[in-house]
Amino acid sequence: MKPVKIGFLGFGTVGQGAATVIKRNAAEISRRIGRDIIVKSASVRNVNRELDPLLAEVELTTDSESIVNDPEIDVVVEVMGGDEPARTLLTTAIANGKHVVTANKALVACHGAEIFDAAREHGVSVAFEAAVAGGIPVIKSIREGLAGNRIQWVAGIINGTCNYILTEMLEKGREFEDVLEDAKALGYAEADPTFDVEGIDAAHKLTILASIAFGVPLQFEAVYIEGISSISREDTAYARELGYRIKHLGLAIDTGNGIELRVHPTLIPERRLIANVNGVMNAVLVQADAVGPTLYYGAGAGAEPTGSSVVADIMDVVRVASASVENRVPTLAFQHDALVDSHPLKPEEFQTSYYLRILAEDKPGVMADISRVLADEAISIEAIVQKEPVDNSGKLPIVLLTKKITEGSMNNAITKLESLSVIAGKVTRIRMESLGGN
Ligand code: HSE
């Protein structure tokens, strides 16, 4: 059969990683799909850039439109990131009858619906494995491997930068700001690290995971988002003393009463495998009714790991190209006319347990005051520990773990605690999940 020709929009780390994998594993890939894959061209800002000799035959151009309009190109791979011009270029490629593969999580999370509609209309495929958890084939696993299950919840460490920072804070007792500088120097965090450390990148990925897990529309705006910039090294250390690790999790939970979509730092029991996923690695834990829990672990970023997902997507779209649209695996796992209105819950309706750190005066009755406030909101205490003072102020940190309660009740309790005269400053609140089943 005639070779498949690929054009890349953007040719940075991921693009070159994917092209290298295609070139190096050409024979293996051809044995799998029965066709050769040729990387014909790539759009770049500077056509004079140095490329690995393996990629010498790739035609470089600054004109992205020439790629999406090239009649020889069968599959367009978008690895430029961001909203525009990626969105318009992909739409043009689709209108020209090309299959598209993208690693752009923001684009899929925020504009996926319109892109998928256009693809259906033109009978082409859109694939986006590389958009979530880099090299881990988690989209394919949930969409196809778990297709017979009803999925109850998904919990993922889906931002390597956050995981690296939290791991360093815990293992080396370092502060957030200090580790962030390292993460930037090592190339993990962007120069503007807001998307990573404030949870937006993870929220894009969670939006996609929730959609394919539950058969609900992509709804980035419904995700509650909290980053890791307010986590202190004391919290990571106190959590460890209590048998927990703090991880930045994306959580999609089908409560039976609506779905919770949330991204925030979370205490999880250290005995869970996912609590021991460290450094820049990613992991996604899926709880499903038939199979039970399954865990997917691997590199969430990097040239060849993410390239591995891009190449698998290219092979997939080539393989199914001759199947009619209705006989392909649905883009969002469920038939497009079978997506259900999911009723995302509001943050006040979320139910979870909490870790609270309260700075209190060293006086008789303080514990009683705290207990009374919590009891008034029907919040049950799981554990309470008084720690050594951290400075000369005479104030003592009190660390509390609670049982499950609505976020609304906890908000009320925190407001009341902060108004007590024996409490100094803000109460630190970190949510807690057992991740132990349904
Ligand atoms: N900035 C992302 C991370 C890279 O830190 O995980 C891949 O999406």
Side-chain angles (χ1 to χ4, degrees), residues 162-175 179 182 236 279:
C162 284
N163 204 38
Y164 170 77
I165 294 174
L166 290 174
T167 304
E168 285 288 299
M169 287 171 71
L170 178 70
E171 289 181 355
K172 315 240 172 86
R174 298 170 67 194
E175 285 294 2
V179 188
D182 267 13
T236 59

mmCIF file of all heavy atoms in Angstrom, residues 162-175 179 182 236 279:
data_model
loop_
_atom_site.group_PDB
_atom_site.id
_atom_site.type_symbol
_atom_site.label_atom_id
_atom_site.label_comp_id
_atom_site.label_asym_id
_atom_site.label_seq_id
_atom_site.Cartn_x
_atom_site.Cartn_y
_atom_site.Cartn_z
ATOM 1 N N CYS A 162 4.162 19.666 39.113
ATOM 2 C CA CYS A 162 3.646 19.698 40.490
ATOM 3 C C CYS A 162 4.168 18.500 41.272
ATOM 4 O O CYS A 162 4.545 18.625 42.440
ATOM 5 C CB CYS A 162 2.113 19.646 40.496
ATOM 6 S SG CYS A 162 1.362 21.199 40.036
ATOM 7 N N ASN A 163 4.189 17.338 40.623
ATOM 8 C CA ASN A 163 4.618 16.148 41.353
ATOM 9 C C ASN A 163 6.096 16.233 41.723
ATOM 10 O O ASN A 163 6.496 15.843 42.818
ATOM 11 C CB ASN A 163 4.335 14.885 40.534
ATOM 12 C CG ASN A 163 4.218 13.669 41.425
ATOM 13 O OD1 ASN A 163 3.671 13.751 42.533
ATOM 14 N ND2 ASN A 163 4.747 12.553 40.986
ATOM 15 N N TYR A 164 6.891 16.790 40.817
ATOM 16 C CA TYR A 164 8.316 16.972 41.103
ATOM 17 C C TYR A 164 8.487 17.913 42.300
ATOM 18 O O TYR A 164 9.257 17.633 43.228
ATOM 19 C CB TYR A 164 9.022 17.533 39.862
ATOM 20 C CG TYR A 164 10.435 17.980 40.141
ATOM 21 C CD1 TYR A 164 11.461 17.050 40.269
ATOM 22 C CD2 TYR A 164 10.736 19.340 40.307
ATOM 23 C CE1 TYR A 164 12.755 17.452 40.553
ATOM 24 C CE2 TYR A 164 12.025 19.752 40.591
ATOM 25 C CZ TYR A 164 13.036 18.807 40.716
ATOM 26 O OH TYR A 164 14.302 19.209 41.008
ATOM 27 N N ILE A 165 7.764 19.019 42.279
ATOM 28 C CA ILE A 165 7.910 20.014 43.358
ATOM 29 C C ILE A 165 7.487 19.416 44.700
ATOM 30 O O ILE A 165 8.201 19.528 45.705
ATOM 31 C CB ILE A 165 7.105 21.297 43.031
ATOM 32 C CG1 ILE A 165 7.709 21.997 41.806
ATOM 33 C CG2 ILE A 165 7.056 22.239 44.234
ATOM 34 C CD1 ILE A 165 6.914 23.193 41.292
ATOM 35 N N LEU A 166 6.337 18.740 44.733
ATOM 36 C CA LEU A 166 5.865 18.163 46.001
ATOM 37 C C LEU A 166 6.808 17.065 46.491
ATOM 38 O O LEU A 166 7.040 16.923 47.697
ATOM 39 C CB LEU A 166 4.441 17.606 45.836
ATOM 40 C CG LEU A 166 3.344 18.666 45.660
ATOM 41 C CD1 LEU A 166 2.010 17.997 45.363
ATOM 42 C CD2 LEU A 166 3.221 19.561 46.893
ATOM 43 N N THR A 167 7.365 16.295 45.561
ATOM 44 C CA THR A 167 8.307 15.232 45.959
ATOM 45 C C THR A 167 9.558 15.834 46.596
ATOM 46 O O THR A 167 10.024 15.382 47.654
ATOM 47 C CB THR A 167 8.709 14.380 44.727
ATOM 48 O OG1 THR A 167 7.534 13.862 44.119
ATOM 49 C CG2 THR A 167 9.612 13.231 45.116
ATOM 50 N N GLU A 168 10.092 16.869 45.970
ATOM 51 C CA GLU A 168 11.293 17.517 46.514
ATOM 52 C C GLU A 168 11.005 18.143 47.878
ATOM 53 O O GLU A 168 11.829 18.085 48.793
ATOM 54 C CB GLU A 168 11.782 18.618 45.556
ATOM 55 C CG GLU A 168 12.481 18.091 44.330
ATOM 56 C CD GLU A 168 13.871 17.527 44.626
ATOM 57 O OE1 GLU A 168 14.733 18.271 45.104
ATOM 58 O OE2 GLU A 168 14.076 16.330 44.371
ATOM 59 N N MET A 169 9.827 18.773 48.006
ATOM 60 C CA MET A 169 9.477 19.401 49.291
ATOM 61 C C MET A 169 9.444 18.356 50.392
ATOM 62 O O MET A 169 9.924 18.590 51.504
ATOM 63 C CB MET A 169 8.110 20.107 49.188
ATOM 64 C CG MET A 169 8.157 21.387 48.381
ATOM 65 S SD MET A 169 6.518 22.065 48.065
ATOM 66 C CE MET A 169 6.062 22.641 49.694
ATOM 67 N N LEU A 170 8.889 17.188 50.074
ATOM 68 C CA LEU A 170 8.773 16.137 51.078
ATOM 69 C C LEU A 170 10.132 15.494 51.374
ATOM 70 O O LEU A 170 10.533 15.369 52.530
ATOM 71 C CB LEU A 170 7.788 15.056 50.591
ATOM 72 C CG LEU A 170 7.632 13.882 51.541
ATOM 73 C CD1 LEU A 170 6.899 14.319 52.806
ATOM 74 C CD2 LEU A 170 6.885 12.732 50.893
ATOM 75 N N GLU A 171 10.848 15.127 50.305
ATOM 76 C CA GLU A 171 12.071 14.339 50.523
ATOM 77 C C GLU A 171 13.236 15.175 51.017
ATOM 78 O O GLU A 171 14.091 14.694 51.749
ATOM 79 C CB GLU A 171 12.452 13.610 49.229
ATOM 80 C CG GLU A 171 11.461 12.488 48.939
ATOM 81 C CD GLU A 171 11.784 11.703 47.687
ATOM 82 O OE1 GLU A 171 12.728 12.075 46.962
ATOM 83 O OE2 GLU A 171 11.068 10.723 47.436
ATOM 84 N N LYS A 172 13.282 16.459 50.607
ATOM 85 C CA LYS A 172 14.444 17.273 50.994
ATOM 86 C C LYS A 172 14.066 18.393 51.963
ATOM 87 O O LYS A 172 14.913 19.210 52.300
ATOM 88 C CB LYS A 172 15.086 17.879 49.734
ATOM 89 C CG LYS A 172 15.245 16.870 48.587
ATOM 90 C CD LYS A 172 16.705 16.688 48.182
ATOM 91 C CE LYS A 172 16.898 15.570 47.189
ATOM 92 N NZ LYS A 172 16.711 15.947 45.808
ATOM 93 N N GLY A 173 12.800 18.472 52.355
ATOM 94 C CA GLY A 173 12.374 19.507 53.301
ATOM 95 C C GLY A 173 12.529 20.905 52.738
ATOM 96 O O GLY A 173 12.784 21.862 53.469
ATOM 97 N N ARG A 174 12.389 21.036 51.406
ATOM 98 C CA ARG A 174 12.579 22.364 50.784
ATOM 99 C C ARG A 174 11.242 23.092 50.647
ATOM 100 O O ARG A 174 10.184 22.489 50.686
ATOM 101 C CB ARG A 174 13.221 22.185 49.401
ATOM 102 C CG ARG A 174 14.582 21.538 49.483
ATOM 103 C CD ARG A 174 15.091 21.160 48.119
ATOM 104 N NE ARG A 174 15.364 22.327 47.291
ATOM 105 C CZ ARG A 174 15.564 22.275 45.977
ATOM 106 N NH1 ARG A 174 15.504 21.121 45.340
ATOM 107 N NH2 ARG A 174 15.813 23.361 45.294
ATOM 108 N N GLU A 175 11.319 24.423 50.454
ATOM 109 C CA GLU A 175 10.097 25.221 50.294
ATOM 110 C C GLU A 175 9.702 25.275 48.819
ATOM 111 O O GLU A 175 10.553 25.155 47.920
ATOM 112 C CB GLU A 175 10.308 26.649 50.811
ATOM 113 C CG GLU A 175 10.327 26.790 52.321
ATOM 114 C CD GLU A 175 8.996 26.484 53.026
ATOM 115 O OE1 GLU A 175 8.012 26.106 52.355
ATOM 116 O OE2 GLU A 175 8.968 26.603 54.260
ATOM 117 N N VAL A 179 12.068 25.088 45.147
ATOM 118 C CA VAL A 179 12.025 23.946 44.216
ATOM 119 C C VAL A 179 11.528 24.388 42.843
ATOM 120 O O VAL A 179 11.975 23.884 41.815
ATOM 121 C CB VAL A 179 11.110 22.817 44.757
ATOM 122 C CG1 VAL A 179 11.247 21.576 43.882
ATOM 123 C CG2 VAL A 179 11.446 22.463 46.188
ATOM 124 N N ASP A 182 14.256 25.385 40.608
ATOM 125 C CA ASP A 182 14.936 24.195 40.067
ATOM 126 C C ASP A 182 14.157 23.601 38.908
ATOM 127 O O ASP A 182 14.733 23.212 37.891
ATOM 128 C CB ASP A 182 14.955 23.095 41.138
ATOM 129 C CG ASP A 182 16.200 23.120 41.946
ATOM 130 O OD1 ASP A 182 16.914 24.115 41.844
ATOM 131 O OD2 ASP A 182 16.419 22.141 42.678
ATOM 132 N N THR A 236 3.627 19.093 54.266
ATOM 133 C CA THR A 236 4.066 17.808 53.694
ATOM 134 C C THR A 236 4.645 16.923 54.818
ATOM 135 O O THR A 236 4.417 15.720 54.837
ATOM 136 C CB THR A 236 5.118 18.001 52.570
ATOM 137 O OG1 THR A 236 6.240 18.676 53.088
ATOM 138 C CG2 THR A 236 4.571 18.770 51.400
ATOM 139 N N GLY A 279 8.610 12.344 41.775
ATOM 140 C CA GLY A 279 9.326 13.089 40.735
ATOM 141 C C GLY A 279 8.366 13.543 39.649
ATOM 142 O O GLY A 279 7.217 13.869 39.924
#
